[in-house]
Amino acid sequence: MSFMLCLPKISLSGAGCIKEVATQLLAQPARKPLIVTEAALVRLGLINELLATLRAAGFTPQIFDQVVPNPTDSVVDQAVEAYQSTGSDMLIGFGGGSSIDTAKAVRAMIANPGKRVHDFEGIGKIGKIGPMLVAVSTTSGTAAEVTSNAVIIDTQRQVKMVLIDSAIIPEIAVNDPELMLGLPPAVTAATGMDALTHAVEAYVSIAAHPLTDPTALAAIRLISEWLPKAVADGTDLVAREMMAQAQFLAGMAFNSAGLGYVHSLAHQPGATHNLPHGVCNAIILPVVCEFSRPTQIKRFAQVAEAMGADIRGLSDEEASKLAITCIRTLSKKVGIPGGLGEFGITEADIPGWITPAQNDPCTGCAPRRATDEEIAQLYRAAL
């Protein structure tokens, strides 16, 4: 058995670590980073600490703040134009997965002049490493700061393009829980369930291996314990730190083991209805787990145990079913909506999602392959 782990060169973690970014960059010849972020984060002043430390160290940061949730190809094009017009020579993705994924896509395009972001859809299509990339996470869910993935909407096809290439893994990953203290409960819940999805899918993936199993299970344990606390009290710095560690561990796991049908299915309503990715994952996760469970009974039993279930005296079959109960219970506890139907989605939306879901790169690591009709059934169950 052979496998590969690809990780950032440097990972900064812990309260206040945002102040160390400038020091880590001093050895680089680049001095004009473009900070790719959302306007709301600028208004809230979350980037102020980063700006101050960069300027004090002699950097002249520029800001592109037009990132939107579920970033699109057009936003990426705007960010590339901003990078070029400002004479920037480095990238800093600051925010959740949307900001970091946009910065990753910009990196790919700068490295490959004349290409469109659409040319990089799939696995290993980027190749060339572009300008240095720093990823500062302000949520505890996507693990975009540690992974080789970026997800960008093709506005013409209304499909989420998944870009997977080690060339876009950031050189520096930053997880400062102090930046996450103001995260609203709903966003905390959605991003936390996204991290749980990463960990569970990585653990039952056909590509799971001895180095991803421990990190996936550790992430599941931490999320099960600390996500409800982070949702209940957004100022709980310990809960924020534990969730930051959990989502990073989950990212380490799925960046090598891959994902599965939860993500493949969740990408489609996110693209067509602009729904939060974490919410789509949370709703679809138990549905897909019920479908996959018969092929990974032992592993789902271990998921149940990692989520805190008492499986003593239970058969693996019984314990594996308990895992799905635990997932549903946690999702309800943190306030995730009960189904996609609550967002106005109907059965009429499903036919257009089936082929994109089957063709999604995440599908390749699913432990059980589904027919088109089974995909439709899974979507109906998630309504």
Side-chain angles (χ1 to χ4, degrees):
M1 179 182 186
S2 65
F3 46 82
M4 179 172 63
L5 288 177
C6 296
L7 301 167
K9 293 178 180 177
I10 297 172
S11 296
L12 301 176
S13 300
C17 70
I18 188 67
K19 299 173 185 175
E20 300 175 31
V21 172
T23 301
Q24 295 296 330
L25 293 176
L26 285 174
Q28 303 297 321
R31 283 294 179 269
K32 187 182 283 190
L34 178 70
I35 300 176
V36 179
T37 189
E38 297 182 44
L41 300 185
V42 177
R43 288 196 304 271
L44 291 170
L46 281 187
I47 70 168
N48 290 350
E49 185 79 55
L50 176 62
L51 289 173
T53 56
L54 286 172
R55 287 167 177 158
F59 295 89
T60 54
Q62 312 297 305
I63 299 174
F64 173 80
D65 63 358
Q66 299 304 303
V67 174
V68 296
N70 295 311
T72 65
D73 47 12
S74 60
V75 169
V76 172
D77 288 342
Q78 293 171 35
V80 169
E81 169 60 29
Y83 184 91
Q84 295 170 331
S85 65
T86 58
S88 296
D89 52 15
M90 181 193 308
L91 287 159
I92 299 178
F94 186 99
S98 297
S99 295
I100 297 173
D101 281 4
T102 301
K104 286 177 173 179
V106 172
R107 185 186 205 193
M109 293 181 70
I110 296 299
N112 296 274
K115 295 274 191 177
R116 302 167 66 230
V117 69
H118 310 73
D119 296 324
F120 308 125
E121 182 178 8
I123 301 173
K125 302 289 184 65
I126 300 170
K128 297 179 181 178
I129 297 176
M132 182 169 185
L133 173 61
V134 178
V136 182
S137 176
T138 61
T139 67
S140 294
T142 69
E145 78 283 357
V146 68
T147 66
S148 56
N149 297 22
V151 181
I152 306 295
I153 291 178
D154 179 332
T155 50
Q156 184 173 357
R157 291 186 295 150
Q158 283 295 288
V159 168
K160 282 193 173 184
M161 301 181 290
V162 182
L163 289 55
I164 304 176
D165 197 306
S166 60
I168 56 173
I169 295 177
E171 274 84 6
I172 300 178
V174 184
N175 276 288
D176 187 335
E178 290 185 349
L179 296 175
M180 305 167 188
L181 290 174
L183 211 60
V187 179
T188 301
T191 54
M193 291 301 294
D194 186 18
L196 179 69
T197 304
H198 294 155
V200 172
E201 287 211 284
Y203 192 63
V204 302
S205 162
I206 61 171
H209 58 73
L211 294 184
T212 60
D213 287 349
T215 50
L217 286 175
I220 292 168
R221 292 189 189 98
L222 286 170
I223 294 164
S224 299
E225 178 179 359
W226 291 100
L227 179 57
K229 297 176 183 178
V231 171
D233 181 3
T235 65
D236 185 337
L237 186 59
V238 175
R240 292 296 188 189
E241 186 150 16
M242 293 301 100
M243 282 302 302
Q245 293 177 12
Q247 66 94 32
F248 191 89
L249 289 167
M252 290 174 63
F254 91 79
N255 199 43
S256 183
L259 295 166
Y261 270 127
V262 181
H263 274 75
S264 299
L265 269 65
H267 286 154
Q268 312 321 314
T272 60
H273 288 68
N274 197 32
L275 302 183
H277 175 62
V279 172
C280 293
N281 271 342
I283 292 171
I284 294 171
L285 177 60
V287 174
V288 170
C289 284
E290 287 180 334
F291 174 78
S292 302
R293 186 193 62 80
T295 66
Q296 294 280 25
I297 291 174
K298 179 67 174 179
R299 285 187 170 251
F300 275 109
Q302 292 165 337
V303 168
E305 185 175 31
M307 293 192 73
D310 184 357
I311 64 172
R312 290 173 298 178
L314 298 181
S315 66
D316 286 344
E317 175 76 16
E318 292 168 328
S320 68
K321 293 179 180 178
L322 193 54
I324 289 125
T325 300
C326 290
I327 291 169
R328 292 188 185 279
T329 299
L330 178 60
S331 188
K332 184 176 181 179
K333 186 174 185 178
V334 298
I336 296 295
L340 296 176
E342 295 186 26
F343 298 96
I345 292 172
T346 68
E347 287 200 27
D349 294 301
I350 294 174
W353 295 344
I354 295 172
T355 297
Q358 291 284 38
N359 293 338
D360 192 292
C362 295
T363 293
C365 289
R368 179 185 178 189
R369 294 304 293 266
T371 64
D372 287 359
E373 177 52 34
E374 286 171 332
I375 293 293
Q377 290 173 2
L378 292 171
Y379 273 128
R380 286 193 286 268
L383 289 180

